[in-house]
Amino acid sequence: MDGVQTALRNEDYEQAAAHIHRYLSLDKSVIELSRQGREGNIIEANLKLLQEAEQRLKIIVTKKFDEATRQEDLPQVERFFKIFPLLGLHEEGLSNFSEYLCKQVANKAEENLQLVMKTDMSDRRAAVIFADTLTLLFEGIARIVETHQPIVETYYGPGRLYTLIKHLQVECDRQVEKVVDKFIQQRDYHRQFQHVQNSMMRSSAVERIEPRELDPILTEVTLMNARSELYLRFIKRRIVSDFEVGDSMASEEVKQEHQKCLDKLLNNCLLSRTMQELIGYYITMEEYFMRETVNKAVAMDTCEKGQLTSSMVDDVFYIVKKCIGRALSSSSIDCLCAMINHSITELESDFREVLCNKLKMGFPATTFQDFQRGVTSAVSLMHSSLQQGKFDTKGIESTDEAKQSFLVTLNNLEVCSENIMTLKKTLESDCAKLLQQGFGGEQAQPKIDSCLSDMAAVSHKFRDLLQEGLNELTNSAIKPQVKPWINLFLSVSHNIEEEEFNDYEANDPWVQQFILNLEQQMAEFKAGLSQVIYDSLTSLMTTLIAVEMEKVVLKSTFSRLGGLQFDKELRSLIAYLTTVTTWTIRDKFARLSQMATILNLERVTEILDYWGPNSGPLTWRLTPAEVRQVLALRMDFRSEDIKRLRL
């Protein structure tokens, strides 16, 4: 008791508080027993004096703390802040100290906002000045937490930091609201959004907003959100680590209650809600920016001489990457997923449709039927152009331009498919980094995985359209030419004797001219298509040649030397086709090669040396019925011998 009185007289409040703290720490049952002892009256008197000293000290500490805060005397503020918990005033101490810190935050924030209003628009950081102002606010609060966390933990114990941060967050919300209100006002954010919404409604007759005008504001919003996410992640980390220490011996219920408090603070604070609202507007505006800029890229599409692709492919993917990259920079997983989905829609529906319409124009025809089809597609394109209120006279192009347009579109499709897969891989890496840094909740990974799998599906759709285009090119440009060239095989007799065989040796009757024709035809495609697409086209052509060759062989008749002549022709053809593609083609000609083997036999029964158990590594592609059919093409083989064969 004397110690308390002496300390109070000497204004040694720490010592006085220490004595009071010891008194408050005494077991109540011990105090009660002392009262009932022989010196009960003396102890009762001392306890009364201690209680009075306690109340007096509480008043003094509160008064001295208030004086220190008014004078902004930080050492004295901290001095008395440390005394509150010794008197059992944990909540009051944290509340009073938080109030003092909040005033510091408010004063600094007001000062920074005044500077914003005076910023010259030519200033280097003028375009992101509101994001910078929020950053200063967040950094200021983060510094306060870092500086005072050790004091709170030491004097108030673990688990108390949450109370301090909860008070600071209320002030943070107040200041964020002021900054965002100024941002909305200065940047005309709501009106811009309204304008975009009106422009996106197709029936709207309002003047469309220029996408370029939105660029800076979209960048600033994502930066504001990124800084907010970073700040909230910092706050979460500090509170979680503080709770972990404080809750080491706590029950599961207490831990869950603390987790709920933390989630509520982070998700329901005005900062989170305000940013969600801003990002909601941003997504619509970014979608508009992307759609309008892609439309411009398509409208301004050009293809330089010697280039395999046209300008719009690079332009469109530059725009898509820019928009997704900007959404990624916001550090919001929901925002990123929304923009990936909008990009997928833009590529899959709008841009793919542009390329699809170009393919529908068809490759300029050579036969009358194909010419008719070309006219039909041109008329339908004219009709759709008139319906949209714009008629492009370049639609009916010269044959050479139409050919180049078709081939360029095929190349464009291939590059689009590859670009989408490249973008997917880049995003996988970028998203992994974002998640490793602690952004996004438990559902973040499944959301991202879903978006990226949709992206892969769109890449396949471009690839499918490319395949359709190649089939169209084969049917309209290659088949009408190749078929008549192959049919000329029928005009060359293969039921020949020695003299004709020797003459054929000197003056090839068919295959060399056929190869020359193929070479001339494919030269145009080789120059206009990428290597991968050219290989695919050559593969389709070789399949076509193999199918058509089978038909003409089965319509021909052969002598032994005629069979040898066919074998030479087939080998020459396979040798040439092997040089023009990187794909293996022998498999496509396996049936024809087996026909040539049969047509070269000396006698009917010789087939048994190659058939069944004698086939060795050879896998027969011909059925027994087809083998008999081919044997019957040899004029010198008797049908009775062929029928007698046991295959």
Side-chain angles (χ1 to χ4, degrees):
M1 183 57 230
D2 292 342
V4 176
Q5 300 292 0
T6 307
L8 283 172
R9 273 198 303 277
N10 297 336
E11 295 188 357
D12 186 350
Y13 301 117
E14 287 83 359
Q15 190 61 44
H19 288 305
I20 296 294
H21 182 63
R22 273 199 299 278
Y23 152 63
L24 292 173
S25 304
L26 286 173
D27 193 319
K28 293 284 184 286
S29 59
V30 173
I31 295 172
E32 203 53 47
L33 281 170
S34 301
R35 275 178 171 159
Q36 291 165 12
R38 278 180 300 166
E39 298 179 355
N41 291 338
I42 299 168
I43 288 170
E44 186 71 46
N46 282 341
L47 285 173
K48 195 175 180 189
L49 288 170
L50 275 171
Q51 284 166 357
E52 286 171 2
E54 179 196 343
Q55 294 308 316
R56 188 172 154 215
L57 186 55
K58 282 180 180 178
I59 292 164
I60 291 169
V61 168
T62 305
K63 187 181 169 190
K64 292 283 184 187
F65 181 87
D66 290 344
E67 280 174 18
T69 56
R70 273 198 302 277
Q71 291 163 12
E72 295 192 5
D73 185 348
L74 184 58
Q76 287 298 306
V77 168
E78 288 185 352
R79 178 193 175 190
F80 290 102
F81 173 58
K82 293 170 186 176
I83 295 174
F84 279 109
L86 295 173
L87 303 174
L89 300 174
H90 295 78
E91 289 301 321
E92 290 89 333
L94 285 167
S95 177
N96 292 343
F97 189 51
S98 300
E99 197 179 321
Y100 163 73
L101 294 175
C102 287
K103 278 179 189 164
Q104 305 290 307
V105 169
N107 292 341
K108 193 64 186 166
E110 189 58 42
E111 198 180 301
N112 290 332
L113 199 55
Q114 290 306 316
L115 288 173
V116 169
M117 306 320 292
K118 293 172 188 169
T119 303
D120 192 328
M121 290 318 289
S122 62
D123 189 279
R124 192 173 59 86
R125 300 290 297 177
V128 289
I129 194 74
F130 290 101
D132 284 353
T133 306
L134 282 183
T135 306
L136 290 172
L137 172 66
F138 298 146
E139 285 176 348
I141 295 172
R143 261 195 307 276
I144 286 171
V145 171
E146 281 191 321
T147 307
H148 296 100
Q149 184 174 0
I151 301 172
V152 174
E153 284 177 352
T154 306
Y155 292 91
Y156 284 73
R160 299 279 186 173
L161 186 67
Y162 168 77
T163 307
L164 179 74
I165 290 178
K166 189 171 72 170
H167 286 292
L168 283 170
Q169 189 53 45
V170 172
E171 188 57 46
C172 176
D173 286 346
R174 263 198 292 267
Q175 299 309 321
V176 164
E177 190 174 21
K178 288 179 186 176
V179 174
V180 170
D181 283 349
K182 284 290 178 194
F183 163 78
I184 290 169
Q185 183 188 332
Q186 292 279 315
R187 304 296 195 220
D188 217 358
Y189 194 61
H190 285 161
R191 194 192 62 81
Q192 298 264 43
F193 170 72
Q194 204 61 52
H195 199 160
V196 163
Q197 266 201 322
N198 293 339
S199 299
M200 285 176 89
M201 292 164 70
R202 299 200 183 281
S203 58
S204 175
V206 297
E207 186 186 341
R208 299 181 86 74
I209 190 168
E210 183 60 40
R212 208 171 39 232
E213 292 175 24
L214 298 173
D215 214 5
I217 201 169
L218 295 176
T219 302
E220 188 169 26
V221 170
T222 51
L223 188 57
M224 286 164 76
N225 196 75
R227 298 289 158 80
S228 303
E229 292 277 354
L230 197 64
Y231 162 76
L232 288 170
R233 195 162 60 95
F234 166 81
I235 293 298
K236 182 180 180 180
R237 237 183 11 252
R238 290 300 168 121
I239 294 175
V240 165
S241 62
D242 188 52
F243 273 156
E244 278 174 359
V245 178
D247 293 350
S248 56
M249 306 296 286
S251 66
E252 200 55 44
E253 286 80 10
V254 170
K255 288 178 183 177
Q256 284 178 1
E257 187 56 39
H258 282 164
Q259 186 58 50
K260 277 183 193 168
C261 290
L262 175 58
D263 291 342
K264 190 178 175 185
L265 175 70
L266 296 175
N267 300 328
N268 293 358
C269 66
L270 188 81
L271 168 62
S272 289
R273 297 202 311 273
T274 304
M275 284 303 147
Q276 277 175 358
E277 193 178 321
L278 287 183
I279 286 293
Y281 292 143
Y282 156 82
I283 290 166
T284 304
M285 291 159 86
E286 187 74 274
E287 182 196 0
Y288 174 81
F289 174 88
M290 179 171 62
R291 191 190 294 173
E292 288 297 302
T293 325
V294 164
N295 288 345
K296 279 191 175 185
V298 170
M300 294 167 68
D301 187 38
T302 56
C303 187
E304 299 294 324
K305 201 169 183 182
Q307 291 292 314
L308 294 178
T309 56
S310 65
S311 62
M312 67 177 171
V313 174
D314 282 350
D315 292 347
V316 164
F317 277 91
Y318 171 78
I319 294 157
V320 168
K321 279 190 274 192
K322 176 178 178 170
C323 295
I324 292 178
R326 187 151 51 197
L328 178 72
S329 74
S330 75
S331 299
S332 163
I333 298 295
D334 288 344
C335 172
L336 172 62
C337 289
M339 276 320 297
I340 292 175
N341 289 335
H342 285 317
S343 303
I344 288 169
T345 304
E346 183 61 35
L347 291 171
E348 182 182 4
S349 303
D350 300 352
F351 190 51
R352 188 174 169 276
E353 192 62 28
V354 168
L355 297 171
C356 190
N357 285 335
K358 284 184 178 286
L359 287 185
K360 281 178 185 171
M361 295 290 288
F363 193 80
T366 47
T367 64
F368 180 68
Q369 290 90 341
D370 289 339
F371 173 73
Q372 276 187 319
R373 188 178 58 201
V375 168
T376 308
S377 79
V379 168
S380 70
L381 189 87
M382 266 195 256
H383 183 63
S384 67
S385 297
L386 285 166
Q387 276 184 327
Q388 289 168 18
K390 52 177 195 263
F391 182 66
D392 187 358
T393 52
K394 288 194 291 185
I396 304 169
E397 300 163 85
S398 71
T399 303
D400 283 349
E401 283 176 334
K403 280 182 177 180
Q404 191 203 12
S405 173
F406 192 91
L407 298 183
V408 163
T409 303
L410 293 180
N411 293 326
N412 284 350
L413 283 164
E414 185 204 5
V415 174
C416 285
S417 180
E418 287 174 358
N419 283 354
I420 292 169
M421 290 312 287
T422 305
L423 182 58
K424 177 180 176 279
K425 279 181 191 157
T426 308
L427 279 170
E428 278 171 353
S429 167
D430 291 342
C431 291
K433 286 177 195 163
L434 201 63
L435 295 179
Q436 279 166 10
Q437 290 166 11
F439 292 105
E442 289 175 13
Q443 292 303 307
Q445 190 66 61
K447 281 179 188 173
I448 290 166
D449 290 344
S450 171
C451 290
L452 295 181
S453 69
D454 290 347
M455 198 170 254
V458 173
S459 173
H460 296 319
K461 285 186 179 179
F462 276 87
R463 190 69 66 182
D464 293 344
L465 188 56
L466 168 59
Q467 195 55 50
E468 284 176 33
L470 281 170
N471 293 338
E472 164 67 19
L473 188 58
T474 306
N475 291 330
S476 63
I478 294 177
K479 193 173 182 177
Q481 299 277 7
V482 168
K483 232 177 145 181
W485 294 337
I486 291 175
N487 285 338
L488 288 172
F489 180 89
L490 293 169
S491 64
V492 177
S493 175
H494 282 76
N495 187 8
I496 56 173
E497 300 301 325
E498 189 85 38
E499 187 184 337
E500 290 156 302
F501 180 74
N502 291 334
D503 184 37
Y504 285 178
E505 184 95 49
N507 306 298
D508 179 81
W510 174 75
V511 77
Q512 292 307 322
Q513 185 58 49
F514 179 46
I515 288 170
L516 189 66
N517 290 344
L518 287 177
E519 205 162 14
Q520 286 172 347
Q521 185 190 43
M522 295 307 283
E524 176 185 11
F525 300 128
K526 191 172 177 67
L529 292 171
S530 75
Q531 185 61 47
V532 174
I533 300 178
Y534 178 71
D535 277 351
S536 300
L537 185 65
T538 311
S539 175
L540 289 171
M541 181 185 76
T542 52
T543 304
L544 173 69
I545 290 170
V547 170
E548 295 301 325
M549 279 292 294
E550 266 192 49
K551 290 178 186 174
V552 294
V553 167
L554 293 172
K555 288 179 187 173
S556 303
T557 55
F558 296 84
S559 63
R560 168 81 207 285
L561 285 171
L564 187 59
Q565 173 64 22
F566 169 59
D567 188 59
K568 284 170 65 181
E569 288 166 338
L570 187 61
R571 286 173 190 275
S572 296
L573 184 58
I574 291 171
Y576 161 70
L577 290 172
T578 303
T579 63
V580 297
T581 178
T582 56
W583 293 26
T584 174
I585 61 160
R586 293 198 174 275
D587 196 53
K588 294 179 189 289
F589 285 89
R591 284 171 60 86
L592 278 167
S593 296
Q594 288 172 8
M595 286 181 177
T597 302
I598 294 168
L599 293 170
N600 258 304
L601 300 176
E602 285 189 26
R603 59 188 186 281
V604 173
T605 52
E606 197 183 340
I607 183 67
L608 298 173
D609 296 342
Y610 303 94
W611 191 262
N614 301 321
S615 62
L618 176 68
T619 303
W620 279 92
R621 301 293 179 87
L622 302 175
T623 63
E626 287 170 332
V627 170
R628 287 192 171 90
Q629 190 184 2
V630 175
L631 283 166
L633 300 176
R634 277 282 292 273
M635 300 305 290
D636 51 332
F637 288 168
R638 293 190 315 156
S639 59
E640 296 84 26
D641 295 341
I642 296 168
K643 281 176 188 169
R644 270 201 301 270
L645 279 174
R646 292 192 170 192
L647 296 173

